[in-house]
Amino acid sequence: MWHDALLVAAKDLRIERRSRVSLNQVVPYALMVLLLFGFAFDQDRSLLAQAAPGLFWLAVVFAGLPAVQRSFAIEAADGASDNMRMSGLDPAGIFLGKVAAITLQLFVIEAILVGGVVVLFHSRLAGGALLAATTVISTAGVAGAGVAYGALSVGLRVRETLLPLLLAPVLAPVVLAATQAWRSALGLSTTSPGGGWRWFGLLVAFTGVYLAGGVLTFGTLIEET
Amino acid sequence: MLAVRFRRAVAFAGRYPLLAGVDLDIQAGEIVALRGPNGAGKTSLLRAIGGLLPLSSGEATVLGLDPVADARALRRRIGLLGHRNGLYDDLSALENVRFAARVAGARKGAAEVALERLGLGARLGAMPVSRLSAGQRRRVALAALLAREPELWLLDEPHAGLDATHRRLLDDLLLAASDRGATVVVASHEATTAAALAGRTVEVAGGTVTGGLIEAGPPPGTPRPTALVEASAYVA
């Protein structure tokens, strides 16, 4: 499984390095989302700073959707999905490989978005350990749910519009927990200092469910769609 | 030994019947042509053999395994080339073939050898697939299969887009694979292309086949047509 995951992740990342879709299209799109949030809350700087964690994670989700769609579009383009199925690759390995590739792409996008949040929203980064741990787990959660639902919608003609519809409710707990954990880390929350880690625990649980669910069901999903 | 055994195989796409009671035997090492007009069911039959199209009823055994229940173990031993090439446009020809070879656990250098045998040297191998011609892309896809060295080749119109020289090259490769013990199933709507290569031709029409059982066709071991090269050149 891990060997197959490594092969798939390396292949997807190599394709991304060549096509630069994330860098040339998704990053500007995510920054535009942040900018528009900034315009919407511009008259109230304190509100903008308070809302920054939530706006950041919404921007990550918005950036994650095209990344997931792109990950499955490259398989559908020349009938490669049949080749993938016929290759005998472990479906769990394919799932984890795609999750890893999207997670790494989102890390790059998030690094740029963090810069945007600091510049546009005047946020001050603090609470390093909680901030970093939350970012890693939330990103894996977004990618895990995205890949599972991406496989579900890949065989459908309306996948471009269906995927956001399916994914948004599933990602709501991740956005909520990640936002609250970040608020705690940045000192924006009124709850006790341990509150952030409790949200982090919830985040770990949801991400664990998404990843375990994907590992267990991905084979069925790609065979049935 | 039978590489493929189908009995009363029925498959649907929704309510639309794709296979309507197929009886088919294919010996290990045999080259069989599936011949029939467009929409006859050739592609569906290839996909059913590969386990991509589950049967609604009937029996199927491929390389001694159930094509759906034992899909993962079986698919590592099968090479399927469909209408589309299944290549990644942003990767080079070599990277595409190398990915297929690594997935199959092929020996190091298998990708380079396969590309060379399909007439794609280092220069073309380094080019992104998106920049190659249709025929060159087809050869890259065939090289990806060759690098995997499958026991069962399932080829859907493999000659499409190839010029006369590379049609002959493909025929030679498939004959060599058969000589090594691999089984080859070629679907084609052209009357002469696949027949020139195959030891037996199975007619496909309306989702069913005639001449699918061994006793219905020439006995195993029937010599291949000696005029293979001339025939291939003629149809090209």
Side-chain angles (χ1 to χ4, degrees):
Chain A
M1 179 177 77
W2 298 111
H3 172 260
D4 290 354
L6 203 63
L7 281 175
V8 172
K11 182 261 296 173
D12 279 11
L13 289 171
R14 187 171 290 122
I15 290 172
E16 171 52 31
R17 202 181 67 204
R18 295 279 159 72
S19 64
R20 296 182 180 272
V21 169
S22 282
L23 204 63
N24 294 344
Q25 293 176 28
V26 181
V27 167
Y29 167 66
L31 283 173
M32 283 301 294
V33 169
L34 269 193
L35 200 62
L36 288 173
F37 284 148
F39 288 148
F41 292 99
D42 187 43
Q43 289 174 336
D44 192 338
R45 285 286 173 88
S46 63
L47 182 61
L48 196 57
Q50 283 283 326
L55 299 180
F56 171 84
W57 283 109
L58 276 178
V60 170
V61 168
F62 286 145
L65 285 170
V68 168
Q69 283 174 330
R70 167 75 180 156
S71 179
F72 285 94
I74 59 174
E75 305 296 344
D78 191 26
S81 53
D82 271 355
N83 274 13
M84 187 72 96
R85 288 167 67 192
M86 285 302 296
S87 66
L89 280 168
D90 186 342
I94 300 173
F95 172 77
L96 290 174
K98 288 207 163 285
V99 169
I102 292 174
T103 300
L104 288 174
Q105 289 174 55
L106 285 178
F107 282 159
V108 174
I109 294 168
E110 285 165 357
I112 296 168
L113 284 178
V114 164
V117 165
V118 169
V119 172
L120 296 171
F121 301 170
H122 309 290
S123 294
R124 295 174 63 183
L125 297 180
L130 180 57
L131 209 66
T134 299
T135 304
V136 170
I137 299 298
S138 304
T139 308
V142 170
V147 172
Y149 279 84
L152 193 68
S153 63
V154 75
L156 304 171
R157 275 181 293 176
V158 291
R159 61 179 176 271
E160 288 84 3
T161 47
L162 187 64
L163 183 62
L165 201 65
L166 291 173
L167 207 49
V170 179
L171 290 180
V174 173
V175 172
L176 174 68
T179 299
Q180 294 304 328
W182 261 46
R183 282 175 57 81
S184 180
L186 297 176
L188 300 171
S189 174
T190 53
T191 58
S192 63
W197 286 106
R198 280 197 289 278
W199 283 109
F200 176 75
L202 186 67
L203 201 54
V204 170
F206 271 105
T207 298
V209 167
Y210 296 156
L211 292 179
V215 164
L216 293 174
T217 63
F218 197 73
T220 308
L221 289 175
I222 57 174
E223 290 297 327
E224 297 297 325
T225 55
Chain B
M1 180 197 161
L2 287 178
V4 177
R5 183 180 183 277
F6 271 46
R7 289 292 180 274
R8 300 175 303 283
V10 175
F12 287 86
R15 289 189 301 176
Y16 181 74
L18 298 175
L19 299 179
V22 170
D23 290 315
L24 178 65
D25 288 335
I26 298 174
Q27 291 270 31
E30 197 179 9
I31 300 181
V32 170
L34 303 179
R35 197 173 62 182
N38 293 330
K42 304 183 298 295
T43 299
S44 298
L45 185 51
L46 283 182
R47 291 175 67 83
I49 295 172
L52 292 175
L53 176 66
L55 299 184
S56 307
S57 64
E59 299 168 20
T61 310
V62 178
L63 300 176
L65 300 170
D66 184 308
V68 175
D70 306 313
R72 201 177 151 218
L74 181 61
R75 288 174 182 178
R76 285 191 184 270
R77 300 164 62 188
I78 295 179
L80 171 70
L81 178 65
H83 283 292
R84 296 195 287 174
N85 295 312
L87 301 173
Y88 299 104
D89 273 353
D90 293 306
L91 297 183
S92 70
L94 179 59
E95 286 168 334
N96 268 287
V97 178
R98 209 176 257 166
F99 177 67
R102 282 181 182 162
V103 166
R107 68 188 185 285
K108 202 175 175 189
E112 287 83 349
V113 170
L115 279 171
E116 199 66 47
R117 287 187 67 187
L118 264 301
L120 295 158
R123 189 182 66 82
L124 286 172
M127 282 176 70
V129 161
S130 57
R131 291 193 194 163
L132 299 179
S133 71
Q136 288 168 334
R137 290 170 64 95
R138 199 65 172 165
R139 282 152 59 199
V140 174
L142 287 162
L145 286 196
L146 184 65
R148 294 179 55 195
E149 295 186 0
E151 292 173 51
L152 173 58
W153 296 63
L154 303 174
L155 307 171
D156 201 352
E157 309 284 0
H159 299 87
L162 298 183
D163 56 32
T165 305
H166 292 108
R167 281 175 175 232
R168 282 196 295 275
L169 182 63
L170 170 60
D171 289 348
D172 290 342
L173 283 174
L174 296 179
L175 289 170
S178 172
D179 288 341
R180 287 195 303 272
T183 308
V184 180
V185 185
V186 182
S188 177
H189 66 275
E190 293 179 32
T192 47
T193 304
L197 174 70
R200 184 158 60 100
T201 299
V202 173
E203 298 291 340
V204 185
T208 188
V209 304
T210 49
L213 299 178
I214 294 289
E215 55 268 30
T222 299
R224 293 189 192 96
T226 51
L228 172 68
V229 172
E230 289 78 2
S232 297
Y234 174 74
V235 297

